[in-house]
Amino acid sequence: MHDKCRDVVEALKQSPIKADIVRFFKENPHAMDVLPGLAIWVFRPKDVLASEIDDLVSLGILSRYGAEPGAVYAFTKDMGVRACIDEHWQEIRQAARGLQSTQTEREG
Amino acid sequence: MEAGRTKRQPTGIPGLDELLIGGTVPGASIMVEGLPGSGKSTMAMQIMYAGIERGEPGIYVTLDESGERIYRDAQSYGWDFRKLENENKLRVIPTSPEGLVGQVQNGGPLIEAAREIGARLVVVDSVTMLETLTTGPAEFRQFYSGLVRGLEAADLRVLMVRDMEPQTGGIAADFWSRYTPDVLVDLEMETVHFRLSRRSMEVVKTRGQDHIGGKHAFRITDNGMVVFPRIMPPPSEEVRYPTPHVPSGIPGLDEMLHGGFILEQPVLVSGPTGSGKTLLSLYFLAECAKRGEPALLFTTEETPAATIAHAASIGLDLRPLIDEGLLDIEYIVQTELSIDELLFRLRSRLASKPYRRLAIDSVNSIARMSPDASFTHDAIMFLMGLLRSEELTSIMTYEMRAVAGPFEVTRLKLSPFADTILVTRLIEINGEVRKGVTVLKHRGGPHATEIRELIISEQGLRVLGGFEGYQRVATSFPETDEGYQPDL
């Protein structure tokens, strides 16, 4: 696995929220929206989403158009990154789900 | 299209382009509105797909449904939106109202995506979501206009989907929708007889072009939406004189008609149940088919199998004619259709083969499908015009309510339209119910005036002489002439 791909996979495995955002864009590859809109699509609070999205932009998974407030986010056009995510998606989902369950138990 | 007039842009929806007299003016913005479940998104997807098939890529912006659901819904009609995306002919773009507006106002990846694929059409489904960004109808009208102008500036033709809310009377607060788009289409769905849904569409408004107004039935099929425009009667043609006659196929009846039915003119056969109307029309069709000319039975009364059995009971074998393609039976389950769709199906069927004779059994079904008497009358007028224009000799049956006694030929005011009217009767004589037929009208020619006996037996159908020795046969309860001894 290339370094960049490893970074992407690890970041997603460690964050259920990032995994959810990426899942939305995998299912809707041409979706493009502002932060409040994405919060509704992935059903997460806006303030929680903001930092996760920043990370995803830094990792090159999402592209940002314009600046906040009002920046629009879309899935990367880098097919290498997309291919990396596709290849490791099962392990990303499993890890993220596991992490989500642990967090839920703790909160319960 | 006349020289110098703008060529219309078809929507690709069967029947709708007829209502739009060829399509929309190029670049016209379209809005389709209706209650939830009325077919708005289906219509939008179908127009999108048809445009792509014509070589015009498009963008489908969805503001409340996920892309996954759009792919799934489109696929249910056989439109593979994912494949079209892979071919760079389409983009399905989920976004929010704020996301859409921001990108139209400031530019962004949506406009970029449109340019990338050379998109010509953008669908926004649905603009109702944009109302969350405004404080009232007036502001939304300006907002909407600005949005349309912004998209048009990017060389995109706009199709908006809008959810309506049930009206509770008065002018709707959202009346602005009547002003803003160039073409406005309303979709409706009503419940009929407490259980059936009937869909109708109305082109409420067009700008810069004409259209056919009023409500027209439509159906959502496995392949998308199909609209059934009301059939407009073609100009009537002059009847040729002298009028040729065609044989009815029933021994004795042609003699009553002094030669037969009038070529290419409609015949009405009216009578109570069990008086022989359907069998009379089957003989009429078989006569034509046996001479090698195709005939069509268009029936709402019996299944094809029941019709064949019914005819066979009197020695009329329809099966060989059907097998040879000389006789076709189109059976319509009337409860499922509107009048527009019924007439559309008839017209389509008539266009499929050079039929020379047609029987419609019965026209009562038209009344049953109709919301009111004036609608029925218009539908009948359209039907008559269609039959005359098709150059075939047609027969229509009508079931009278009254089994015996005083009668009304029809309750549909059909009489003026039929060139020949036969009335079949049930006549009680000495405890036996016998059948009679009379020619009430035979335009352009002489005819017998008495009621003659109609015999239906295993040997077939035939017309004998009059009810000699009886008076007041038309009442169904005749009296013997004075001194007449009936042969018991």
Side-chain angles (χ1 to χ4, degrees), chain A residues 24 26-34 36-38 40-41 65 70 72-74 77, chain B residues 62 64-68 71 85 91-96 98-99 103 109-110 112 116:
Chain A
F24 169 73
K26 272 178 63 62
E27 290 172 357
N28 301 273
H30 301 290
M32 42 188 76
D33 213 340
V34 294
L38 287 175
I40 294 172
W41 288 117
Y65 297 84
V72 175
Y73 299 92
K77 291 188 181 181
Chain B
T62 169
D64 57 354
E65 298 288 355
S66 67
E68 189 62 32
Y71 298 133
E85 283 192 323
R91 291 287 181 265
V92 175
I93 300 181
T95 190
S96 63
E98 298 94 335
Q103 292 189 72
L110 187 144
E112 247 178 63
E116 244 172 51

Side-chain angles (χ1 to χ4, degrees), chain B residues 29-106:
Chain B
S29 64
I30 303 172
M31 180 178 284
V32 54
E33 58 181 17
L35 295 177
S38 55
K40 307 181 295 298
S41 295
T42 300
M43 181 170 162
M45 285 191 280
Q46 190 165 351
I47 291 175
M48 172 68 74
Y49 184 77
I52 293 172
E53 293 270 280
R54 282 197 311 269
E56 298 175 353
I59 303 272
Y60 196 105
V61 176
T62 169
L63 298 182
D64 57 354
E65 298 288 355
S66 67
E68 189 62 32
R69 188 160 285 189
I70 300 298
Y71 298 133
R72 183 200 68 189
D73 290 349
Q75 190 65 58
S76 71
Y77 301 111
W79 311 322
D80 192 341
F81 274 18
R82 281 194 196 275
K83 180 168 173 280
L84 293 175
E85 283 192 323
N86 293 339
E87 293 170 355
N88 286 325
K89 295 175 182 173
L90 171 70
R91 291 287 181 265
V92 175
I93 300 181
T95 190
S96 63
E98 298 94 335
L100 172 64
V101 169
Q103 292 189 72
V104 173
Q105 287 175 340
N106 307 317

Side-chain angles (χ1 to χ4, degrees), chain B residues 140-171:
Chain B
F140 189 44
R141 183 179 164 181
Q142 289 180 332
F143 189 82
Y144 170 86
S145 298
L147 181 65
V148 170
R149 279 197 297 274
L151 290 167
E152 288 175 344
D155 272 335
L156 293 167
R157 190 162 64 99
V158 181
L159 192 163
M160 302 269 187
V161 172
R162 182 172 164 267
D163 293 313
M164 289 174 78
E165 290 182 13
Q167 299 301 331
T168 51
I171 297 177

